[in-house]
Amino acid sequence: MTYDAIVLAGGAARRLDGADKPGLLVGGRRLLDRVLDACADARTTVVVGGRRQTARPVHWTREEPPGGGPLAALDAGLRHTTAPLVLVLSADLPFLDRETVHSLLQALDAPGHDARDGALLRDPGGRDQPLVAAYRAEPLRREIALLAAEHGSPAGLPLRALTTELDLTPVTAAAPLASFDCDTWDDLAAARARIREHGTVLDQWITAVKNELGIDVAVDTKTLLDLARDAAHGVARPAAPLTTFLVGYAAAHAEATGADPAQAVAEASRKAAELALRWAAEGKAAEGAGPEATGPEATGSG
């Protein structure tokens, strides 16, 4: 679905002692970049806040006056969007993913929801999150204009002044941490600990690396780990990272000739794994046969 994204990256971060919250690191990556990864397929991405380095190009703007609050920031961002759907996100969501973003957008396309003004994420505690939401642009602009006409400006107004006037549908995320935000140092510490949990650390790491390198390819973690193990045990420990690098290089070369990326990785992994097993078997045979195992009979060839 065609949509624009507005990421709110301002605010005083008082509970973080005024730190640059969007620039804080979780899993080695800035919070803002993590949010930008989740909406990478937006037609236009507008970040409302002070300019800073980002992993991908965005359009920058500021609310009037600076520090005027989320409603003023949303109004400023809307002025730079043209898509019929607008995704609105805060910049402190370390676990937001593309699946959650797409579920919000798809909720507006579901049967019976064509008249709804938006869809917002409902967190595991049952609280609705208006800054993790997809809105139809036209009613959003209309209600903000009405609020500005009534109060003189949207600055200083709470978000609920807007959301109570809209017909919104809640969406429960498949990922329970999608709405987790970092408002305090304890939140930040919890996010950094969660991303390193044993059951999910590899998935989190692979996703972070892909985003950092600007690539999007399915990774068969088990196959690559098995290959690294076979190379380490059958050849030498340093062979593990070198072999997986060569598999990636071979897969990229195959992809350039039109091969499916996932299939290219799987095929290169299979060939390298079989070679590592043959190498290991040959070494064991040579060790068992003694110093005379140097001819064709020792290797099974001839």
Side-chain angles (χ1 to χ4, degrees), residues 219-242:
V219 177
D220 187 337
T221 305
K222 182 179 184 305
T223 295
L224 289 176
L225 288 177
D226 288 347
L227 168 60
R229 178 202 61 206
D230 292 341
H233 292 173
V235 184
R237 289 185 66 182
L242 294 172

Side-chain angles (χ1 to χ4, degrees), residues 262-285:
Q263 291 180 354
V265 171
E267 180 64 9
S269 298
R270 181 189 65 78
K271 290 180 178 179
E274 290 178 355
L275 175 62
L277 292 175
R278 293 198 303 269
W279 185 293
E282 178 182 322
K284 289 180 180 179

Side-chain angles (χ1 to χ4, degrees), residues 89-197:
L89 303 170
S90 60
D92 61 349
L93 303 164
F95 302 110
L96 183 68
D97 54 22
R98 297 183 189 183
E99 289 73 19
T100 299
V101 165
H102 292 163
S103 69
L104 291 169
L105 295 165
Q106 290 164 3
L108 294 180
D109 198 38
H113 287 182
D114 55 332
R116 294 291 183 95
D117 296 327
L120 72 176
L121 195 67
R122 177 165 288 175
D123 68 23
R127 296 176 294 272
D128 292 337
Q129 302 294 325
L131 294 183
V132 193
Y135 298 93
R136 298 193 194 278
E138 190 278 328
L140 202 59
R141 288 192 174 92
R142 180 191 67 232
E143 294 302 329
I144 290 179
L146 289 172
L147 287 169
E150 181 180 354
H151 298 276
S153 166
L157 296 178
L159 268 178
R160 64 178 177 274
L162 170 68
T163 56
T164 54
E165 301 299 325
L166 298 172
D167 183 9
L168 305 174
T169 185
V171 174
T172 301
L177 291 177
S179 60
F180 183 94
D181 57 2
C182 294
D183 285 331
T184 67
W185 292 116
D186 286 344
D187 293 338
L188 187 69
R192 288 171 171 172
R194 285 173 184 268
I195 210 165
R196 288 171 171 78
E197 289 178 351

Side-chain angles (χ1 to χ4, degrees), residues 204-266:
Q204 291 285 356
W205 169 248
I206 289 169
T207 298
V209 172
K210 288 194 295 184
N211 289 332
E212 192 76 9
L213 299 180
I215 58 176
D216 186 11
V217 61
V219 177
D220 187 337
T221 305
K222 182 179 184 305
T223 295
L224 289 176
L225 288 177
D226 288 347
L227 168 60
R229 178 202 61 206
D230 292 341
H233 292 173
V235 184
R237 289 185 66 182
L242 294 172
T243 304
T244 52
F245 165 77
L246 292 172
V247 163
Y249 186 88
H253 180 74
E255 183 184 357
T257 64
D260 175 79
Q263 291 180 354
V265 171

Side-chain angles (χ1 to χ4, degrees), residues 7 9 21-40 45 47 52-58 60 89-98 207-208 210-212:
V7 181
K21 181 161 66 168
L24 294 175
L25 300 180
V26 172
R29 306 195 76 229
R30 290 180 290 269
L31 285 172
L32 176 57
D33 283 333
R34 288 184 165 274
V35 173
L36 292 176
D37 290 335
C39 58
T45 300
V47 179
R52 66 194 74 225
Q53 183 180 359
T54 53
R56 68 177 179 87
V58 299
W60 294 94
L89 303 170
S90 60
D92 61 349
L93 303 164
F95 302 110
L96 183 68
D97 54 22
R98 297 183 189 183
T207 298
K210 288 194 295 184
N211 289 332
E212 192 76 9

Side-chain angles (χ1 to χ4, degrees), residues 71-91:
L71 198 54
L74 178 54
D75 180 45
L78 273 172
R79 297 175 188 274
H80 300 277
T81 64
T82 57
L85 297 181
V86 178
L87 182 74
V88 178
L89 303 170
S90 60

